[in-house]
Amino acid sequence: MPTPLELNDLQRRIALYEDDVAYRELYFRFFKPLLHFASSFVSSHETAEEIVSDVFIRVWQNRSHLTEIRNLRVYLYVCTKNNAIRSMESQQRQQALSLEEVGVDLRSPAQDPEALMITGEMITRIETAVNGLPPKCKMVYKLIKEDRLKYKEVAQILDISVKTIDNQLAIALKKIAAAIQLDLRLPQTLTR
């Protein structure tokens, strides 16, 4: 993910100079995370790709207005969410989207040293624990821990309060810790 300064630069270059190199960079940096996000709403990988592609087409078509957007990252996620909802409604799979009905794919394309150190068994236990979370917790967990968004950004994307984000993440982490038998309590010597 680009830093806020890099993102502002890309946004400015696209809006003011119609810079297709900056547009391609924006696309390559956000396509996969947005695809994973869209996939949590729709069951078809192809539909998720169409949703994200439509978001980027819209960004290019409305590039002259990009300078009016305060947080492009949140804008991209909200557009993806809205397109996914419209797609679901048009397919008439459900009458309304409920976060309790949303599935989340935990797999991440990025491998960091910490993830490489965790054994295969532990990864399986963590994935099982995350898949057992209530859907709202899974969504919050994915956006914060996997997509590395800030609490405020997730609150804007999901249209819920930052306090709710904090509570849902705490619930998720406690349930995951319990499932993998990790004790998160403070040692007795520190609580006295």
Side-chain angles (χ1 to χ4, degrees), residues 23 26-42 44-60 75-77 79-85 87:
Y23 174 75
L26 180 72
Y27 176 88
F28 288 119
R29 291 204 182 191
F30 280 96
F31 186 82
K32 283 186 181 179
L34 291 175
L35 180 63
H36 287 295
F37 183 62
S39 294
S40 68
F41 290 94
V42 296
S44 166
H45 182 74
E46 292 78 20
T47 303
E49 284 181 342
E50 287 177 23
I51 288 167
V52 177
S53 294
D54 287 346
V55 168
F56 281 102
I57 289 169
R58 185 171 164 203
V59 165
W60 184 253
Y75 175 81
L76 292 171
Y77 275 91
C79 286
T80 302
K81 178 184 83 168
N82 291 341
N83 282 1
I85 292 170
S87 173

Side-chain angles (χ1 to χ4, degrees), residues 99-113:
L99 285 179
E100 279 66 39
E101 298 168 7
V102 175
V104 176
D105 183 8
L106 181 63
R107 290 176 283 156
S108 173
Q111 291 290 332
D112 61 356

